[in-house]
CSV table of all heavy atoms in Angstrom, one decimal:
chain,number,residue,atom,x,y,z
A,36,GLU,N,12.5,21.2,12.9
A,36,GLU,CA,12.3,19.8,13.0
A,36,GLU,C,10.8,19.5,13.1
A,36,GLU,O,10.2,20.2,13.9
A,36,GLU,CB,13.0,19.1,14.2
A,36,GLU,CG,12.9,17.6,14.2
A,36,GLU,CD,13.7,16.9,15.2
A,36,GLU,OE1,14.7,17.6,15.7
A,36,GLU,OE2,13.3,15.8,15.6
A,37,GLN,N,10.4,18.5,12.4
A,37,GLN,CA,8.9,18.2,12.4
A,37,GLN,C,8.7,16.7,12.3
A,37,GLN,O,9.4,16.1,11.6
A,37,GLN,CB,8.2,18.9,11.2
A,37,GLN,CG,6.7,18.9,11.4
A,37,GLN,CD,6.2,19.8,12.5
A,37,GLN,OE1,6.8,20.9,12.8
A,37,GLN,NE2,5.2,19.4,13.1
A,38,GLU,N,7.8,16.2,13.0
A,38,GLU,CA,7.4,14.8,13.0
A,38,GLU,C,5.9,14.6,12.8
A,38,GLU,O,5.1,15.4,13.4
A,38,GLU,CB,7.8,14.1,14.3
A,38,GLU,CG,9.2,13.8,14.5
A,38,GLU,CD,9.5,12.9,15.8
A,38,GLU,OE1,8.5,12.6,16.5
A,38,GLU,OE2,10.6,12.6,16.0
A,39,VAL,N,5.5,13.6,12.1
A,39,VAL,CA,4.2,13.3,11.8
A,39,VAL,C,3.9,11.8,12.0
A,39,VAL,O,4.6,11.0,11.4
A,39,VAL,CB,3.7,13.8,10.5
A,39,VAL,CG1,2.2,13.3,10.2
A,39,VAL,CG2,3.8,15.3,10.2
A,40,GLU,N,2.9,11.4,12.7
A,40,GLU,CA,2.6,10.0,12.9
A,40,GLU,C,1.2,9.7,12.1
A,40,GLU,O,0.3,10.5,12.4
A,40,GLU,CB,2.5,9.6,14.4
A,40,GLU,CG,3.8,9.5,15.1
A,40,GLU,CD,3.6,8.9,16.5
A,40,GLU,OE1,3.1,7.7,16.6
A,40,GLU,OE2,3.9,9.6,17.4
A,41,ASP,N,1.2,8.7,11.4
A,41,ASP,CA,0.0,8.5,10.6
A,41,ASP,C,0.0,7.0,10.1
A,41,ASP,O,0.9,6.5,9.4
A,41,ASP,CB,-0.2,9.4,9.4
A,41,ASP,CG,-1.5,9.3,8.8
A,41,ASP,OD1,-2.5,8.7,9.3
A,41,ASP,OD2,-1.7,9.7,7.6
A,42,GLY,N,-1.1,6.2,10.4
A,42,GLY,CA,-1.3,4.9,9.8
A,42,GLY,C,-0.1,4.0,10.1
A,42,GLY,O,0.2,3.2,9.2
A,43,GLY,N,0.5,4.0,11.3
A,43,GLY,CA,1.6,3.1,11.6
A,43,GLY,C,2.9,3.6,11.0
A,43,GLY,O,3.9,2.8,11.0
A,44,PHE,N,3.0,4.8,10.5
A,44,PHE,CA,4.3,5.4,10.1
A,44,PHE,C,4.7,6.6,10.9
A,44,PHE,O,3.8,7.3,11.3
A,44,PHE,CB,4.2,5.8,8.6
A,44,PHE,CG,4.1,4.6,7.7
A,44,PHE,CD1,2.8,4.1,7.4
A,44,PHE,CD2,5.2,4.0,7.1
A,44,PHE,CE1,2.7,3.1,6.5
A,44,PHE,CE2,5.1,3.0,6.3
A,44,PHE,CZ,3.8,2.5,5.9
A,45,LEU,N,5.9,6.8,11.1
A,45,LEU,CA,6.5,8.1,11.8
A,45,LEU,C,7.3,8.7,10.6
A,45,LEU,O,8.3,8.1,10.2
A,45,LEU,CB,7.3,7.7,12.9
A,45,LEU,CG,8.0,8.9,13.5
A,45,LEU,CD1,7.0,10.0,14.1
A,45,LEU,CD2,8.9,8.5,14.7
A,46,ASP,N,6.9,9.9,10.2
A,46,ASP,CA,7.7,10.7,9.3
A,46,ASP,C,8.4,11.8,9.9
A,46,ASP,O,7.8,12.5,10.7
A,46,ASP,CB,6.7,11.2,8.2
A,46,ASP,CG,5.9,10.2,7.5
A,46,ASP,OD1,6.5,9.1,7.2
A,46,ASP,OD2,4.8,10.4,7.4
A,47,ARG,N,9.6,12.0,9.7
A,47,ARG,CA,10.4,13.1,10.4
A,47,ARG,C,11.2,13.8,9.3
A,47,ARG,O,11.8,13.1,8.5
A,47,ARG,CB,11.3,12.4,11.4
A,47,ARG,CG,12.1,13.4,12.3
A,47,ARG,CD,12.7,12.6,13.4
A,47,ARG,NE,13.8,13.4,14.0
A,47,ARG,CZ,15.0,13.2,14.1
A,47,ARG,NH1,15.5,12.0,13.8
A,47,ARG,NH2,15.9,14.0,14.7
A,48,ILE,N,11.3,15.1,9.5
A,48,ILE,CA,12.2,15.9,8.6
A,48,ILE,C,12.9,16.9,9.5
A,48,ILE,O,12.3,17.4,10.5
A,48,ILE,CB,11.5,16.6,7.5
A,48,ILE,CG1,12.4,17.3,6.5
A,48,ILE,CG2,10.4,17.5,8.0
A,48,ILE,CD1,11.8,17.8,5.3
A,49,TRP,N,14.2,17.1,9.3
A,49,TRP,CA,15.0,18.1,10.1
A,49,TRP,C,16.1,18.7,9.4
A,49,TRP,O,16.6,18.1,8.4
A,49,TRP,CB,15.4,17.4,11.5
A,49,TRP,CG,16.5,16.5,11.4
A,49,TRP,CD1,17.9,16.7,11.5
A,49,TRP,CD2,16.5,15.1,11.0
A,49,TRP,NE1,18.6,15.6,11.4
A,49,TRP,CE2,17.8,14.6,11.0
A,49,TRP,CE3,15.4,14.2,10.7
A,49,TRP,CZ2,18.1,13.2,10.8
A,49,TRP,CZ3,15.7,12.9,10.4
A,49,TRP,CH2,17.0,12.4,10.5
A,50,ASN,N,16.5,19.9,9.9
A,50,ASN,CA,17.6,20.6,9.4
A,50,ASN,C,18.7,20.6,10.5
A,50,ASN,O,18.4,21.1,11.6
A,50,ASN,CB,17.1,22.0,9.1
A,50,ASN,CG,18.2,22.9,8.4
A,50,ASN,OD1,19.2,22.4,8.1
A,50,ASN,ND2,17.9,24.2,8.5
A,51,ALA,N,19.9,20.3,10.1
A,51,ALA,CA,21.0,20.3,11.1
A,51,ALA,C,21.5,21.6,11.6
A,51,ALA,O,22.1,21.7,12.6
A,51,ALA,CB,22.2,19.4,10.5
A,52,LYS,N,21.2,22.6,10.7
A,52,LYS,CA,21.7,24.1,11.0
A,52,LYS,C,20.5,25.1,10.9
A,52,LYS,O,19.7,24.8,10.0
A,52,LYS,CB,22.9,24.5,10.1
A,52,LYS,CG,24.0,23.6,10.2
A,52,LYS,CD,25.0,24.1,9.1
A,52,LYS,CE,26.3,23.2,9.0
A,52,LYS,NZ,27.3,23.8,8.1
A,53,ASP,N,20.7,26.2,11.5
A,53,ASP,CA,19.8,27.3,11.3
A,53,ASP,C,20.1,28.1,10.1
A,53,ASP,O,19.3,28.6,9.4
A,53,ASP,CB,19.8,28.2,12.5
A,53,ASP,CG,19.1,27.6,13.8
A,53,ASP,OD1,18.2,26.7,13.6
A,53,ASP,OD2,19.5,28.0,14.9
A,54,VAL,N,21.4,28.3,9.9
A,54,VAL,CA,21.9,29.1,8.8
A,54,VAL,C,23.1,28.5,8.1
A,54,VAL,O,23.9,27.8,8.7
A,54,VAL,CB,22.4,30.5,9.4
A,54,VAL,CG1,23.0,31.4,8.4
A,54,VAL,CG2,21.3,31.2,10.2
A,55,TYR,N,23.2,28.6,6.8
A,55,TYR,CA,24.2,28.1,5.9
A,55,TYR,C,24.8,29.2,5.1
A,55,TYR,O,24.3,30.2,4.9
A,55,TYR,CB,23.6,27.1,4.9
A,55,TYR,CG,23.0,25.9,5.4
A,55,TYR,CD1,21.7,25.8,6.0
A,55,TYR,CD2,23.8,24.7,5.5
A,55,TYR,CE1,21.2,24.6,6.6
A,55,TYR,CE2,23.2,23.5,6.0
A,55,TYR,CZ,22.0,23.5,6.5
A,55,TYR,OH,21.5,22.3,7.1
A,56,ALA,N,26.1,29.0,4.9
A,56,ALA,CA,26.9,29.8,4.0
A,56,ALA,C,26.3,29.7,2.5
A,56,ALA,O,25.9,28.6,2.2
A,56,ALA,CB,28.3,29.6,4.1
A,57,GLU,N,26.4,30.7,1.8
A,57,GLU,CA,26.0,30.7,0.4
A,57,GLU,C,26.7,29.5,-0.3
A,57,GLU,O,27.9,29.3,-0.2
A,57,GLU,CB,26.4,32.0,-0.3
A,57,GLU,CG,25.8,32.0,-1.7
A,57,GLU,CD,26.0,33.4,-2.3
A,57,GLU,OE1,26.9,34.2,-1.9
A,57,GLU,OE2,25.1,33.8,-3.1
A,58,PHE,N,26.0,28.7,-1.1
A,58,PHE,CA,26.5,27.6,-1.9
A,58,PHE,C,27.0,26.4,-1.1
A,58,PHE,O,27.7,25.5,-1.6
A,58,PHE,CB,27.6,28.0,-2.9
A,58,PHE,CG,27.1,29.2,-3.8
A,58,PHE,CD1,27.8,30.4,-3.8
A,58,PHE,CD2,25.9,29.1,-4.5
A,58,PHE,CE1,27.4,31.4,-4.6
A,58,PHE,CE2,25.5,30.2,-5.3
A,58,PHE,CZ,26.3,31.4,-5.3
A,59,SER,N,26.8,26.4,0.2
A,59,SER,CA,27.4,25.3,1.0
A,59,SER,C,26.4,24.1,0.9
A,59,SER,O,25.3,24.2,0.5
A,59,SER,CB,27.5,25.8,2.5
A,59,SER,OG,26.2,26.0,3.1
A,60,ASP,N,27.0,22.9,1.4
A,60,ASP,CA,26.3,21.7,1.4
A,60,ASP,C,25.1,21.7,2.4
A,60,ASP,O,25.4,22.1,3.6
A,60,ASP,CB,27.2,20.5,1.7
A,60,ASP,CG,26.5,19.2,1.5
A,60,ASP,OD1,25.6,19.0,0.7
A,60,ASP,OD2,26.9,18.3,2.4
A,61,LEU,N,23.9,21.3,2.1
A,61,LEU,CA,22.8,21.4,3.0
A,61,LEU,C,22.8,20.1,3.9
A,61,LEU,O,23.1,19.0,3.3
A,61,LEU,CB,21.5,21.4,2.3
A,61,LEU,CG,21.2,22.7,1.4
A,61,LEU,CD1,19.8,22.6,0.8
A,61,LEU,CD2,21.5,24.0,2.2
A,62,GLU,N,22.4,20.2,5.1
A,62,GLU,CA,22.3,19.1,6.0
A,62,GLU,C,20.8,18.9,6.4
A,62,GLU,O,20.5,19.2,7.5
A,62,GLU,CB,23.2,19.2,7.2
A,62,GLU,CG,24.7,19.2,6.8
A,62,GLU,CD,25.6,19.3,7.9
A,62,GLU,OE1,25.4,18.6,9.0
A,62,GLU,OE2,26.5,20.2,7.9
A,63,VAL,N,20.0,18.5,5.4
A,63,VAL,CA,18.6,18.4,5.6
A,63,VAL,C,18.3,16.9,5.5
A,63,VAL,O,18.7,16.3,4.5
A,63,VAL,CB,17.8,19.2,4.7
A,63,VAL,CG1,16.3,19.0,4.8
A,63,VAL,CG2,18.1,20.7,4.8
A,64,PHE,N,17.6,16.3,6.3
A,64,PHE,CA,17.3,14.9,6.3
A,64,PHE,C,15.8,14.6,6.5
A,64,PHE,O,15.1,15.3,7.2
A,64,PHE,CB,18.1,14.2,7.5
A,64,PHE,CG,19.5,14.5,7.4
A,64,PHE,CD1,20.2,15.5,8.2
A,64,PHE,CD2,20.4,13.6,6.7
A,64,PHE,CE1,21.4,15.7,8.1
A,64,PHE,CE2,21.7,13.8,6.7
A,64,PHE,CZ,22.3,14.8,7.3
A,65,ALA,N,15.5,13.5,6.0
A,65,ALA,CA,14.0,12.9,6.1
A,65,ALA,C,14.2,11.5,6.5
A,65,ALA,O,15.1,10.8,6.2
A,65,ALA,CB,13.2,13.0,4.8
A,66,GLU,N,13.2,11.1,7.3
A,66,GLU,CA,13.3,9.7,7.9
A,66,GLU,C,11.8,9.1,7.9
A,66,GLU,O,10.8,9.8,8.3
A,66,GLU,CB,13.8,9.8,9.3
A,66,GLU,CG,14.5,8.6,9.8
A,66,GLU,CD,15.1,8.9,11.1
A,66,GLU,OE1,14.4,9.1,12.1
A,66,GLU,OE2,16.4,8.9,11.1
A,67,LEU,N,11.7,7.9,7.4
A,67,LEU,CA,10.4,7.2,7.5
A,67,LEU,C,10.5,6.0,8.3
A,67,LEU,O,11.4,5.2,7.9
A,67,LEU,CB,9.9,6.9,6.1
A,67,LEU,CG,8.6,6.1,6.0
A,67,LEU,CD1,7.4,7.1,6.6
A,67,LEU,CD2,8.3,5.8,4.5
A,68,THR,N,9.8,5.8,9.4
A,68,THR,CA,9.8,4.6,10.2
A,68,THR,C,8.5,3.9,10.2
A,68,THR,O,7.5,4.6,10.5
A,68,THR,CB,10.3,5.0,11.6
A,68,THR,OG1,11.5,5.7,11.6
A,68,THR,CG2,10.5,3.8,12.5
A,69,TYR,N,8.6,2.6,9.9
A,69,TYR,CA,7.4,1.9,10.1
A,69,TYR,C,7.2,1.3,11.5
A,69,TYR,O,8.1,0.8,12.0
A,69,TYR,CB,7.4,0.6,9.1
A,69,TYR,CG,6.2,-0.4,9.3
A,69,TYR,CD1,4.9,0.1,9.0
A,69,TYR,CD2,6.4,-1.6,9.7
A,69,TYR,CE1,3.9,-0.8,9.2
A,69,TYR,CE2,5.4,-2.4,9.9
A,69,TYR,CZ,4.1,-2.0,9.6
A,69,TYR,OH,3.1,-2.9,9.8
A,70,ALA,N,6.0,1.6,12.0
A,70,ALA,CA,5.8,1.1,13.5
A,70,ALA,C,4.5,0.4,13.6
A,70,ALA,O,3.8,0.4,14.7
A,70,ALA,CB,5.7,2.4,14.3
A,71,GLY,N,4.1,-0.2,12.5
A,71,GLY,CA,2.8,-1.0,12.5
A,71,GLY,C,2.9,-2.4,13.2
A,71,GLY,O,3.9,-2.7,13.9
A,72,ASP,N,1.9,-3.2,12.8
A,72,ASP,CA,1.8,-4.5,13.4
A,72,ASP,C,2.8,-5.6,12.7
A,72,ASP,O,3.1,-6.6,13.4
A,72,ASP,CB,0.4,-5.0,13.3
A,72,ASP,CG,-0.5,-4.1,14.1
A,72,ASP,OD1,0.0,-3.5,15.1
A,72,ASP,OD2,-1.7,-4.0,13.8
A,73,GLU,N,3.1,-5.4,11.6
A,73,GLU,CA,3.9,-6.4,10.8
A,73,GLU,C,5.3,-6.3,11.1
A,73,GLU,O,5.9,-5.2,11.6
A,73,GLU,CB,3.7,-6.3,9.2
A,73,GLU,CG,2.3,-6.3,8.8
A,73,GLU,CD,1.7,-7.6,9.1
A,73,GLU,OE1,2.3,-8.7,8.9
A,73,GLU,OE2,0.5,-7.6,9.4
A,74,GLU,N,6.2,-7.2,10.8
A,74,GLU,CA,7.7,-7.2,11.1
A,74,GLU,C,8.3,-6.3,10.0
A,74,GLU,O,9.3,-5.8,10.2
A,74,GLU,CB,8.3,-8.5,11.1
A,74,GLU,CG,8.1,-9.3,12.4
A,74,GLU,CD,8.5,-8.5,13.6
A,74,GLU,OE1,9.5,-8.1,13.7
A,74,GLU,OE2,7.6,-8.4,14.5
A,75,SER,N,7.7,-6.2,8.7
A,75,SER,CA,8.2,-5.4,7.7
A,75,SER,C,7.1,-5.0,6.7
A,75,SER,O,6.0,-5.6,6.8
A,75,SER,CB,9.3,-6.1,6.9
A,75,SER,OG,8.8,-7.2,6.2
Side-chain angles (χ1 to χ4, degrees):
E36 180 176 339
Q37 195 68 35
E38 285 186 0
V39 175
E40 287 187 59
D41 187 21
F44 291 90
L45 174 64
D46 305 315
R47 182 173 168 233
I48 186 170
W49 73 97
N50 180 18
K52 299 179 181 179
D53 289 331
V54 177
Y55 290 84
E57 185 171 35
F58 308 125
S59 66
D60 185 38
L61 300 183
E62 295 180 48
V63 175
F64 301 91
E66 206 171 72
L67 179 63
T68 305
Y69 173 65
D72 297 332
E73 306 296 321
E74 287 303 309
S75 67

